[in-house]
Amino acid sequence: MEKPDLDTIRRRLETFRDERDWRQFHTLKDLIISVNLEAAELLELTQWKRDDELSRLRNDPAFQERLREECADVFLYLLLVAGEAGFDLLQAAADKIEKNAVKYPVERARGSARKYSELGDED
Amino acid sequence: MEKPDLDTIRRRLETFRDERDWRQFHTLKDLIISVNLEAAELLELTQWKRDDELSRLRNDPAFQERLREECADVFLYLLLVAGEAGFDLLQAAADKIEKNAVKYPVERARGSARKYSELGDED
Amino acid sequence: MEKPDLDTIRRRLETFRDERDWRQFHTLKDLIISVNLEAAELLELTQWKRDDELSRLRNDPAFQERLREECADVFLYLLLVAGEAGFDLLQAAADKIEKNAVKYPVERARGSARKYSELGDED
Amino acid sequence: MEKPDLDTIRRRLETFRDERDWRQFHTLKDLIISVNLEAAELLELTQWKRDDELSRLRNDPAFQERLREECADVFLYLLLVAGEAGFDLLQAAADKIEKNAVKYPVERARGSARKYSELGDED
């Protein structure tokens, strides 16, 4: 099967929603709450696990499948938020990368995890 | 400019990361924490706002721009998680829609916000 | 039974933890992740529910019991964070109320949900 | 100054709220969203920090002060949720510890971070 593109995913998602008449529940606030709840389920996969254990688990098929599913859930709700708010998620992502490139200049940010606001002249 | 596709976004994101030598910080746990922090910033846009106010704000260009940026941030970290974990986010989303279609059959789920686990025979 | 005070709760919580030899898992990061996961379970109780429905549910014993339990879970992890970080949660709360009273002067903040940073001179 | 007890904190918090006429904004949903946002600010303090760095920072007065403040913020919103929902947070916490003691029997749970649901007979 050919790899799906984002527009195909979005159409399938909207069909899924409309066949179940679920759009009535999709206020912006509840969709955004749902993004957060799914993000928390993703976070739960890391709870009580050290970095070395997570590195190892990344190659465990059952664990990878859980990661895949939770990431998919966050992503699907993001698509619904973007749909309700009327913007294109891919274009938003492209624009944000460009904005971040200005905010975190290579020569200042290299190798530093400090946030932009903390990147001073003396770095 | 042509609309970017997801592979282009992903490549730009990885270039952005590597030019700054930031991959060293990208443990699975911290990337997933970052998904959650950006999701919370998205949620903050809805704090203290009623549904009717949010419906109105959706058409406010400044508010929409903030929504776009926060959604983009969540999405970019999701792409980094998928990259580290070694799966394709679009394929994961397509698979999840199919799985949900089985989990929430149209005839049972229509018009109900109840979760799958609460959809009993007597519905 | 007499109403428990916070020191009693904390001692019981530490006994509970130590009898199970669980302190070894309690890194600051994982305890704080746990605060977030329990907060998300609390948030899940509000998902897809409108304000009027939640007002009504507040008087439903089964719903109130779920609220109670999820709030308790967040609180217990907060106590563990405070314990590991070496501060008193009640004193921290008292100090924060005083700090907020300075940050949000009554005459400026009355009736406004705007955040401190947005409270300008012209208000 | 004598150490404040929880009832004193709660009264001060309610006075703080009422002097600013803020209760009108305090729907259950927005208070619970606020618990989550403050929990995320607490989580942000751990972002990009390894366990050993966090162990060290725990003794850094500036870092500890930030931890204290964010924990206090989560706690204050929890108190407001409990107030709106009509239950006592300390009693809820005491009850939850008792419930957890039954759910995670010492002999089965000792030294294991697995969740209750995963603690089977063959352990």
Side-chain angles (χ1 to χ4, degrees):
Chain A
M1 197 176 71
E2 211 195 345
K3 197 173 137 178
D5 68 9
L6 189 54
D7 283 329
T8 306
I9 302 283
R10 185 164 31 218
R11 272 194 307 273
R12 286 186 199 165
L13 179 62
E14 289 170 2
T15 301
F16 173 86
R17 173 196 68 193
D18 294 337
E19 284 175 347
R20 284 155 188 79
D21 195 18
W22 279 357
R23 195 175 179 184
Q24 59 181 312
F25 304 114
H26 288 187
T27 62
L28 205 49
K29 196 163 197 161
D30 275 319
L31 288 174
I32 289 173
I33 284 174
S34 301
V35 168
N36 277 266
L37 297 181
E38 299 298 344
E41 292 192 20
L42 179 60
L43 185 60
E44 191 176 5
L45 298 179
T46 76
Q47 190 188 24
W48 312 129
K49 298 199 181 76
R50 304 303 167 89
D51 286 336
D52 57 345
E53 192 180 352
L54 281 168
S55 289
R56 195 172 41 72
L57 275 169
R58 220 162 40 174
N59 300 313
D60 174 282
F63 188 77
Q64 201 192 50
E65 180 56 24
R66 294 173 72 188
L67 277 177
R68 263 184 112 240
E69 287 207 16
E70 299 304 348
C71 284
D73 283 334
V74 181
F75 182 42
L76 292 174
Y77 276 118
L78 269 187
L79 283 174
L80 290 169
V81 171
E84 292 301 322
F87 62 83
D88 183 86
L89 190 58
L90 280 187
Q91 191 58 59
D95 293 348
K96 196 66 201 313
I97 293 174
E98 278 192 49
K99 190 169 175 177
N100 283 342
V102 174
K103 204 168 151 189
Y104 302 93
V106 168
E107 66 276 15
R108 300 267 293 283
R110 189 191 298 277
S112 165
R114 267 177 291 169
K115 294 178 66 177
Y116 166 66
S117 57
E118 301 172 14
L119 288 177
D121 290 331
E122 63 284 7
D123 281 285
Chain B
M1 197 176 69
E2 212 194 347
K3 198 172 135 180
D5 68 9
L6 189 54
D7 283 329
T8 306
I9 302 283
R10 185 166 29 218
R11 273 194 306 272
R12 287 186 199 164
L13 178 63
E14 289 171 1
T15 301
F16 173 87
R17 173 196 69 192
D18 294 338
E19 284 175 349
R20 284 154 189 80
D21 195 17
W22 279 357
R23 194 174 181 185
Q24 60 180 312
F25 304 114
H26 288 187
T27 63
L28 204 50
K29 197 164 198 160
D30 275 320
L31 288 174
I32 289 174
I33 284 174
S34 301
V35 168
N36 277 266
L37 296 181
E38 299 299 344
E41 292 191 21
L42 179 59
L43 185 60
E44 191 175 5
L45 298 180
T46 76
Q47 190 188 23
W48 312 129
K49 298 199 182 75
R50 304 304 166 89
D51 286 336
D52 56 347
E53 192 180 352
L54 281 168
S55 289
R56 194 173 42 71
L57 276 169
R58 219 162 40 173
N59 300 313
D60 175 281
F63 188 78
Q64 202 193 50
E65 180 55 26
R66 295 172 71 188
L67 277 177
R68 262 183 113 241
E69 288 208 15
E70 299 304 347
C71 284
D73 284 334
V74 181
F75 182 42
L76 293 173
Y77 276 117
L78 270 187
L79 283 174
L80 290 169
V81 171
E84 291 302 322
F87 62 83
D88 182 85
L89 189 58
L90 281 187
Q91 191 58 58
D95 292 349
K96 197 64 199 316
I97 294 174
E98 278 191 48
K99 188 168 176 177
N100 283 343
V102 174
K103 202 169 154 190
Y104 301 93
V106 169
E107 64 277 14
R108 298 268 294 283
R110 188 190 300 278
S112 165
R114 267 176 291 170
K115 294 179 66 178
Y116 166 66
S117 58
E118 301 173 13
L119 288 177
D121 291 329
E122 62 287 2
D123 280 285
Chain C
M1 197 176 73
E2 211 194 345
K3 197 173 136 178
D5 67 10
L6 189 55
D7 283 329
T8 306
I9 302 283
R10 184 163 32 217
R11 272 194 306 274
R12 287 186 198 165
L13 179 63
E14 290 170 1
T15 301
F16 173 87
R17 174 196 68 194
D18 294 337
E19 283 175 349
R20 283 155 190 79
D21 195 18
W22 280 356
R23 194 174 181 184
Q24 59 179 311
F25 304 114
H26 288 186
T27 62
L28 205 49
K29 196 163 198 162
D30 275 320
L31 287 174
I32 288 174
I33 284 174
S34 301
V35 168
N36 277 266
L37 297 181
E38 299 299 343
E41 293 193 19
L42 180 59
L43 185 60
E44 191 176 4
L45 298 180
T46 77
Q47 190 189 22
W48 312 129
K49 297 200 182 75
R50 306 303 166 90
D51 286 336
D52 56 346
E53 191 180 353
L54 281 168
S55 289
R56 194 172 43 72
L57 276 170
R58 220 164 38 177
N59 299 313
D60 175 282
F63 188 78
Q64 201 192 50
E65 180 55 26
R66 294 173 71 187
L67 278 177
R68 263 182 112 240
E69 287 206 17
E70 300 303 348
C71 284
D73 284 335
V74 181
F75 182 42
L76 293 174
Y77 276 117
L78 270 187
L79 283 174
L80 290 169
V81 172
E84 291 303 322
F87 63 82
D88 182 86
L89 189 58
L90 281 186
Q91 191 58 58
D95 293 349
K96 196 67 201 313
I97 294 174
E98 277 190 51
K99 189 167 175 177
N100 283 343
V102 174
K103 203 168 154 190
Y104 301 94
V106 168
E107 65 276 16
R108 299 269 293 284
R110 188 191 298 278
S112 165
R114 267 177 292 169
K115 293 178 67 177
Y116 166 67
S117 57
E118 301 173 14
L119 289 177
D121 291 330
E122 62 286 6
D123 280 283
Chain D
M1 196 176 69
E2 210 194 346
K3 197 173 137 181
D5 68 10
L6 188 54
D7 284 328
T8 306
I9 303 283
R10 184 164 33 216
R11 273 193 306 273
R12 287 186 199 165
L13 178 63
E14 289 171 1
T15 300
F16 174 86
R17 174 195 69 193
D18 294 337
E19 283 175 348
R20 284 154 189 79
D21 196 16
W22 279 357
R23 195 174 180 185
Q24 59 180 313
F25 304 113
H26 287 186
T27 62
L28 204 48
K29 196 164 197 160
D30 275 319
L31 287 175
I32 288 173
I33 284 174
S34 301
V35 168
N36 277 266
L37 298 181
E38 299 298 343
E41 293 192 20
L42 179 59
L43 185 60
E44 191 175 5
L45 298 180
T46 76
Q47 190 188 22
W48 312 128
K49 298 200 181 75
R50 305 302 166 91
D51 286 336
D52 57 346
E53 192 180 352
L54 282 168
S55 289
R56 196 174 40 73
L57 276 170
R58 219 161 42 172
N59 300 313
D60 175 282
F63 188 78
Q64 201 192 51
E65 180 55 26
R66 294 173 71 188
L67 276 177
R68 264 184 111 239
E69 288 208 16
E70 300 303 348
C71 284
D73 283 335
V74 181
F75 182 43
L76 292 174
Y77 276 118
L78 269 188
L79 283 174
L80 290 169
V81 171
E84 291 302 322
F87 62 83
D88 183 86
L89 189 58
L90 281 187
Q91 190 60 57
D95 292 349
K96 196 67 200 314
I97 294 173
E98 277 190 49
K99 189 168 174 177
N100 283 344
V102 174
K103 204 169 152 189
Y104 301 94
V106 168
E107 65 277 15
R108 300 267 294 283
R110 189 191 299 278
S112 165
R114 268 178 290 168
K115 294 179 67 180
Y116 166 66
S117 57
E118 301 173 13
L119 289 178
D121 290 329
E122 63 285 5
D123 279 284

